């Protein structure tokens, strides 16, 4: 991330509500933390869209920087992995219509 490799992320809208967390705002700056909770970079939110999971674009998936080779692979991978919200996708009859949040991020600088 700090090298600019990941410039997007996706999550489910309902998770924002469960965590009583508002959506990110354009221009909002945040600290990016490592696995131990230490700041490693500052990022800026450059885009936020709420759309059905099935409408997340290939361009957005590529910007996530996870190495997926197609949109279909990404969708199948999400539904088959241990990602926190993946089990709900496997069991929901209309999972492709679930509202998702697609955010664009820009790494600004290493944390001081």
């Amino acid at each position: 991330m700090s090298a600019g490799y990941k410039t997007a992320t996706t999550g489910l809208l309902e998770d924002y509500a469960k965590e009583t967390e508002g959506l990110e705002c354009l221009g909002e700056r945040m600290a990016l933390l490592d696995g131990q909770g230490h700041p490693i970079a500052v990022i800026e939110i450059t885009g936020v869209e709420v759309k059905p999971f099935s409408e997340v674009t290939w361009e957005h998936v590529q910007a996530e920087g996870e190495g997926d080779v197609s949109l279909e692979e990404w969708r199948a991978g999400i539904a088959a992995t241990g990602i926190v919200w993946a089990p709900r996708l496997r069991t929901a009859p209309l999972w492709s219509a679930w509202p998702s949040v697609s955010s664009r991020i820009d790494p600004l600088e290493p944390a001081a």
Side-chain angles (χ1 to χ4, degrees), residues 18-51:
K18 284 181 181 175
E19 296 172 12
T20 62
E21 191 177 317
L23 293 179
E24 290 86 4
C25 299
L26 291 179
E28 180 178 356
R29 293 181 178 201
M30 307 165 137
L32 180 66
L33 308 177
D34 66 14
Q36 288 76 43
H38 302 110
I40 58 171
V42 176
I43 62 171
E44 181 175 357
I45 303 300
T46 59
V48 179
E49 290 183 277
V50 177
K51 61 176 90 178

Side-chain angles (χ1 to χ4, degrees), residues 4-112:
Y5 144 87
K6 181 176 185 74
T7 59
T9 189
T10 305
L12 290 180
L13 181 60
E14 74 174 48
D15 289 339
Y16 285 83
K18 284 181 181 175
E19 296 172 12
T20 62
E21 191 177 317
L23 293 179
E24 290 86 4
C25 299
L26 291 179
E28 180 178 356
R29 293 181 178 201
M30 307 165 137
L32 180 66
L33 308 177
D34 66 14
Q36 288 76 43
H38 302 110
I40 58 171
V42 176
I43 62 171
E44 181 175 357
I45 303 300
T46 59
V48 179
E49 290 183 277
V50 177
K51 61 176 90 178
F53 180 74
S54 62
E55 292 180 18
V56 175
T57 65
W58 173 234
E59 177 187 44
H60 187 84
V61 170
Q62 288 176 302
E64 287 193 3
E66 302 293 331
D68 295 292
V69 298
S70 72
L71 187 57
E72 293 73 25
E73 177 189 81
W74 177 79
R75 289 178 180 150
I78 292 289
T81 65
I83 292 174
V84 173
W85 44 277
R88 288 175 276 164
L89 292 179
R90 285 195 300 271
T91 59
L94 299 174
W95 66 267
S96 63
W98 282 29
S100 67
V101 179
S102 296
S103 300
R104 298 294 296 215
I105 53 181
D106 186 23
L108 297 177
E109 58 196 50

